[in-house]
Amino acid sequence: MNRGIWTKTSWKGYRLSQQPVYEDKEQLDTVLKKIEGLPPLVFIGEVEKLRLQVAEAGRGRRFILHGGDCAERFMDCNEESITNKMKILLQMSVILTYGARRPVVRIGRIAGQFAKPRSRDTEIVDGRQIDIYRGDSINDYGPDAEKRRADPERLLQSYFMSVSTLNFIRAMIEGGFTDLHHPYTWNLHSMEKTGEWKKYRATVDGILDAINFMESFGGIRSESVGKIDFYISHEGLLLGYEDALTRKDPASGRYYNLGSHMLWIGERTRALDEGHVEYFRGISNPIGVKIGPSISSDELIELLAVLNPGNEEGRITLIARMGLSKIESTLPSLVDAVIKSGRSVTWSSDPMHGNMIHASGNRKTRDFNDIMGELKCAFRIFSERHVPLGGVHFELTGEDVTECTGGATALSDEDLGKNYQSYCDPRLNYNQSLEMAFLIAELLNKNSIKP
């Protein structure tokens, strides 16, 4: 496909999918113009810092922990919900850092993950056909035709919800919430009831001993363990909204989406003739690309050439989401093709999205053993090729939800109704997330590749 000169709006000339239909186009234009005039959420220097860290993860010198909600809800923009999300991501990163002995890049699916692609446009509720729920930035979850109407004002609300969330996260970091001197302040007490608690407590005690020793020895300053880097991300799905948050850097002449540090293209919108690929090829943020078992090696290499013609390190993270039943037959050939092409990428494993199943009552769930199984396969496949697996990508929460079966607490199909909260896809709960962190730390040690 011949592509012309990229502009901020050249995506409009391509095939568009997963875009809501707005009845009032004038109202939509007014809202997007308003967002375009508002301050950005992030700074270019932060974006470039993340790109360098993603590049180091691609060389095996760092490891990316990328996780958060399937889709954020406006109702969860509150102190408790945000704090719990930060707690679980911080605890997981501590386990990975201490267990694998390498820095962890923390990226949250937060402060902007308000929209989700859907497999169909409508659904039947009480015998009536209504628009499908596409995320709080588009419509309401309530099973009512009027509430399901795409409302442009929700885009503006999404912006301010993202600002509020990020502001609180920054305040927590600056205010000492992430200080490694006080890791027990992160604990959610339900973990103490599981078999993983002793292992986690031993890990935390080891971290504290190491910090106290280094401070006593004079090898580390007390204030240097109180701050962390934390980055936000979301799927760049709503192109009008992303366009409105794209700004030109006067110093370099490059364009950045300053609504997030990192964005990704989903499996449903990565086709070469899609407007999403056209938009993403022109922004300078580090970007992720979700790839599933349907992509061919030739298509993948062409996609990388379009998105990263200069072959810049840290520019592309390929997020493989194959499913346990298909990873062995699909991922190896894709990795081999990328190696042969000489294309620079950072690889990440998403063991969630290819393992969706339906439990009784047609409720969506995922089995912890399938998730863990795909992750183990991914580590082995990359280790055999002496290529670092640079990160993992999870849908998870700091709450004690009952959405995925299995894990240390042995949730069954019958348990799902106890606290199923997700509006879209099932997430790992607090205990399952920590259990997964211990597994990843072990896999990183077992499959260590020297950078």
Side-chain angles (χ1 to χ4, degrees), residues 19 66 108 116 159-160 186 190 194 256 309 312 314 324-325 333 336 358 378 384 403 409 421 439 441-442 444:
Q19 304 303 291
H66 194 173
K116 284 287 290 184
Y159 170 86
F160 285 112
W186 306 343
S190 60
T194 72
Y256 292 82
E312 300 176 32
L324 179 59
S325 65
S333 61
D336 290 341
H358 286 81
E384 289 172 351
E403 297 172 1
T409 53
Q421 295 291 325
L439 168 67
E442 292 172 5
L444 280 168

Side-chain angles (χ1 to χ4, degrees), residues 152-203:
E153 292 296 330
R154 284 179 166 270
L155 294 172
L156 192 61
Q157 192 173 359
S158 296
Y159 170 86
F160 285 112
M161 290 289 185
S162 299
V163 170
S164 297
T165 300
L166 182 57
N167 179 68
F168 184 55
I169 290 172
R170 292 190 190 280
M172 291 169 71
I173 293 172
E174 289 299 317
F177 179 78
T178 60
D179 191 339
L180 287 180
H181 289 91
H182 311 293
Y184 284 105
T185 63
W186 306 343
N187 291 337
L188 300 179
H189 296 297
S190 60
M191 186 58 188
E192 297 178 16
K193 303 174 185 178
T194 72
E196 296 299 323
W197 171 244
K198 289 183 179 179
K199 185 190 294 185
Y200 177 63
R201 184 173 62 186
T203 299

Side-chain angles (χ1 to χ4, degrees), residues 65 92 95-96 191 196 351-352 367-376 379 392 394 396 407-408 428-443:
L65 174 61
M92 291 179 74
I95 294 166
L96 294 178
M191 186 58 188
E196 296 299 323
M352 302 286 290
D367 189 296
F368 186 86
N369 289 331
D370 291 344
I371 297 168
M372 183 171 60
E374 180 172 349
L375 196 59
K376 287 180 177 179
F379 269 99
V392 289
F394 288 105
L396 53 83
L428 295 176
N429 64 24
Y430 174 73
N431 295 325
Q432 292 166 333
S433 298
L434 282 189
E435 186 177 356
M436 190 61 69
F438 286 116
L439 168 67
I440 297 169
E442 292 172 5
L443 291 172

Side-chain angles (χ1 to χ4, degrees), residues 98 101 204-216 220:
Y98 184 74
R101 299 298 193 267
V204 173
D205 288 343
I207 292 169
L208 288 175
D209 286 344
I211 291 173
N212 291 333
F213 173 77
M214 291 302 293
E215 287 181 341
S216 299
I220 188 171

Side-chain angles (χ1 to χ4, degrees), residues 14-162:
Y14 288 75
R15 180 170 65 92
L16 301 177
S17 63
Q18 298 290 337
Q19 304 303 291
V21 177
Y22 293 97
E23 296 175 2
D24 191 336
K25 297 296 197 314
E26 186 175 337
Q27 183 189 17
L28 174 63
D29 291 341
T30 299
V31 168
L32 292 177
K33 195 69 177 177
K34 188 176 294 185
I35 293 173
E36 193 170 12
L38 291 168
L41 274 74
V42 302
F43 189 65
I44 290 174
E46 296 175 309
V47 175
E48 285 298 315
K49 185 176 182 180
L50 174 59
R51 185 180 63 80
L52 293 175
Q53 293 184 1
V54 170
E56 289 185 337
R59 296 193 295 267
R61 294 176 180 171
R62 291 180 183 267
F63 192 76
I64 298 170
L65 174 61
H66 194 173
D69 277 323
C70 163
E72 291 178 274
R73 305 178 301 182
F74 290 165
M75 63 185 289
D76 292 328
C77 184
N78 59 70
E79 179 181 358
E80 181 180 7
S81 178
I82 297 169
T83 299
N84 285 342
K85 292 173 189 177
M86 289 295 290
K87 280 180 179 179
I88 188 58
L89 287 171
L90 288 169
Q91 287 179 320
M92 291 179 74
S93 69
V94 167
I95 294 166
L96 294 178
T97 301
Y98 184 74
R101 299 298 193 267
R102 71 184 72 178
V104 171
V105 184
R106 304 165 186 87
I107 307 176
R109 292 172 54 114
I110 195 169
Q113 182 59 14
F114 290 110
K116 284 287 290 184
R118 305 310 301 267
S119 58
R120 60 185 188 275
D121 293 331
T122 61
E123 66 176 333
I124 302 297
V125 177
D126 296 331
R128 295 177 298 121
Q129 182 172 283
I130 61 175
D131 290 339
I132 200 75
Y133 171 70
R134 292 182 174 274
D136 277 9
S137 63
I138 301 168
N139 54 9
D140 192 278
Y141 186 70
D144 176 87
E146 179 60 27
K147 289 182 178 181
R148 291 289 177 89
R149 183 180 61 85
D151 181 2
E153 292 296 330
R154 284 179 166 270
L155 294 172
L156 192 61
Q157 192 173 359
S158 296
Y159 170 86
F160 285 112
M161 290 289 185
S162 299

